[in-house]
Amino acid sequence: MTNLGDLEIFASVVATGSMSLAGRALGFSPAVISKRIKRLEDRLGTRLLQRTTRQISLTEAGQGFYDRVLAILAGLEEAEAYIGGRSAQMQGTLKISAPTSFGRLHIAPHLKTFMQAHPDLAINLILTDEFTDIVGGGYDLAIRIAELTDSSLVARRLAPVRRVLCASPAYVAAHGMPGDIDDLRRHICLPAHNHDPWRLDGPKGALTFRPEGRLITNSSEVIREAVIAGLGIALRSTWDIGPELKDGRLLQVLPAYEGSHNVTLSAVYPSRQFLPAKVRVFIDFLAELYGPVPYWER
């Protein structure tokens, strides 16, 4: 039977991408880590890792084995949590990836409540507008606002996302209100930082519009400030610009059209048979906090 410690070492090497980093985390020398990985491969009769001077990557067999090792280790953690009664008081560190603006507006303000309920649990919250490699980066979960298509991850929907076309009163006064989608082509648009086309749902169903504009940025928050300042028309989520819509600093443009309803707010995590208790509790916390009608829509 394979040594459980070898499985933990293997998982750590994959998560960190380095035998040295894995050794540092587990208290072993790189030589010991390398020897234990070789012992595991010899026992299994197959190569699990491809090693070069610069990086370590999984073989096809290694990927399948890694997915199952994660399930085993997560199951052990769940079993220990059950026996130790830790479900009400988590321990360790929860590493989370989230979009920059959403994390700042709708996760950070609520961390105090969650952390007071679980005083022995540390939070490592990484904010980025890029899709992170959850497994490679060693994340426990990621919060994503997208149409999810990655079947290698498990997703739990937390809330619907409503995105509207909007502009400032100053922009509308200077350029007029567009009458239809085709009319948008004569307007200044503010594309998303990743330059994706706008996927919209309208009276005749789904359509795609590619916005054109003079502002190029890698920051979603810059686009938000630009539309408020009157630089053009943007497609923004109501969780991001709800207060501005309510107080009149922004006006909804072409209200018959909204962003694709296939985009949702979800928590995603590696495919595992059992969720670690700390991950499950945090996801439950967010699901209850947001709900089917999130507070920013009320």
Side-chain angles (χ1 to χ4, degrees), residues 186-207:
R186 70 174 182 84
H187 282 268
I188 303 169
C189 294
L190 299 169
H193 74 285
N194 52 13
H195 302 290
D196 284 344
W198 290 347
R199 292 180 174 82
L200 306 171
D201 286 332
K204 296 182 180 180
L207 62 95

Side-chain angles (χ1 to χ4, degrees), residues 239-253:
W239 59 256
D240 193 30
I241 46 92
E244 289 76 16
L245 287 173
K246 290 179 181 178
D247 64 23
R249 281 182 290 166
L250 287 177
L251 304 174
Q252 189 171 351
V253 173

